[in-house]
Each structure stands twice: as structure tokens, then as C-alpha cells.
Amino acid sequence: TSYIRLPKIQKEGYVNLMLDTGAGCTVLGETDLKKMDVEISSLAEAPNPIAGWGGKTQAFILSDICIFLTDDDNQCQLFEMPEIICGKNPKGKKGKSRMGVQRTWNATIPSVIGRDFLLRHNLIVHIDVAEKDIFLASKLYANTKSENRK
């Protein structure tokens, strides 16, 4: 869980951000914006929609974001972003299930940390599958660890 502060509009709250190395940009989903009492339609519309596995959806721009991430030792670090994209939840799609029952599928746009965040803050993603461990680290930390291994 991360904590997000939006100083320009005086809103804040906890958000579950997923790391998505396939995402070019960091995104806040409409559901998480609602948790912070932010109406997505009050934001400036982005020139292009968000496109992903599920298709395209309307995008908006949020500026001056403070993201607080906490590590396993309960140390909190602030990361600032000049702007991020916010994704509107697409309208439910109607269709029939395999059994022929009429259904409506509702999708939500997830909140994700994208590559723009990693690049801006000079972070690397450390993944150790054998140890079932994944974490973000500064390049300085990573370089220090590699030097110690030599």
C-alpha cells in the first residue's frame, strides 16, 4: 500500500499501486481516485486514451503528485511526480456467458507504477524468483551491492 497526497487539490489517501514494468506511464485508476474523493471528470482530459490489454479508455491528467512508499522496515520515502495519467473505468460490456446467460462485465483501471516513475527516480527492479523476493532500489544501492560481490 502506498500513500498519495495531491497538494494542489488538497486530497490524499491510501492506494494499492502495482508495479507494471510493461506500462510506459504511471496510472491512477478511477476507483482509487474516488477513494480520495476526486471526481475524474474534474481533471483535465489527456490528449490520448489509455490503451492496454482490455482496449482503450478515456484518460485524464493529474499534476503535482506526492507518492509515499514504505519498505519492509517501515521506512517511508517520498517520490514526487509532475504529472500522471488517470484512467476512467470503462462502461460495462454486455454479452452472453458460455451457458448463454446475459451478463455485464465491469472492468476497473488499476493503479500502477510504470517505467516513467522508475526512470524519473533512478530506480531498478530487483526480482529474485528463488527467494520469492521483489523490491525497488536506487541504482546507487544496486551498484554498491554489485561492487561488494566482486
Side-chain angles (χ1 to χ4, degrees), residues 3-8 26 28 61-68 78-86 121:
Y3 192 78
I4 294 184
R5 184 173 293 147
L6 309 170
K8 267 191 172 178
T26 299
L28 268 182
I61 299 171
L62 185 60
S63 56
D64 296 325
I65 301 94
C66 300
I67 300 174
F68 296 86
L78 166 65
F79 296 91
E80 296 178 321
M81 292 291 285
E83 70 177 34
I84 59 174
I85 299 296
C86 299
H121 298 292

Side-chain angles (χ1 to χ4, degrees), residues 56-111:
K56 293 180 182 179
T57 190
Q58 192 175 11
F60 296 83
I61 299 171
L62 185 60
S63 56
D64 296 325
I65 301 94
C66 300
I67 300 174
F68 296 86
L69 299 179
T70 305
D71 65 18
D72 290 340
D73 296 325
N74 259 349
Q75 298 297 311
C76 185
Q77 186 168 349
L78 166 65
F79 296 91
E80 296 178 321
M81 292 291 285
E83 70 177 34
I84 59 174
I85 299 296
C86 299
K88 185 171 181 61
N89 291 335
K91 291 188 172 143
K93 293 184 179 182
K94 294 184 180 190
K96 290 189 177 180
S97 70
R98 287 186 215 167
M99 304 297 286
V101 177
Q102 188 70 26
R103 297 248 168 119
T104 301
W105 285 268
N106 292 313
T108 57
I109 300 298
S111 295

Side-chain angles (χ1 to χ4, degrees), residues 17 24-26 67 69 79-81 113-123 136:
L17 286 170
C25 62
T26 299
I67 300 174
L69 299 179
F79 296 91
E80 296 178 321
M81 292 291 285
I113 291 175
R115 291 188 313 271
D116 62 336
F117 183 91
L118 301 174
L119 291 168
R120 178 175 182 78
H121 298 292
N122 210 20
L123 298 172
L136 298 177

